[in-house]
Amino acid sequence: MNSIYDKLTTLDFVIVAGYLVALLVIGYVVSMKQRKKNETLFLAGNSLNWYSIGFNMWGTNV
């Protein structure tokens, strides 16, 4: 058979793995820097009641 795996080399797998690791590292670093900022955005600085947040989340899904 002439499958795609026959044409791939070790270097191809190393490049794909390196790309995935780089994406994970960048995502982790960015998420840690913006953790505090995102908490205030999602919870509105703890100024909203639970039912207000719940109904808004339910309304976006409907």
Side-chain angles (χ1 to χ4, degrees), residues 20-49:
L20 292 175
V21 168
L23 284 179
L24 289 173
V25 168
I26 291 170
Y28 180 76
V29 169
V30 170
S31 70
M32 293 314 268
K33 286 183 180 179
Q34 293 184 354
R35 178 184 292 248
K36 190 69 170 175
K37 182 180 176 183
N38 289 340
E39 287 176 2
T40 59
L41 287 174
F42 179 71
L43 296 175
N46 291 329
S47 65
L48 296 175
N49 298 330

Side-chain angles (χ1 to χ4, degrees), residues 2-21:
N2 193 7
S3 103
I4 188 75
Y5 292 112
D6 296 334
K7 297 178 183 180
L8 294 176
T9 64
T10 305
L11 180 62
D12 295 321
F13 290 110
V14 169
I15 290 172
V16 170
Y19 176 73
L20 292 175
V21 168

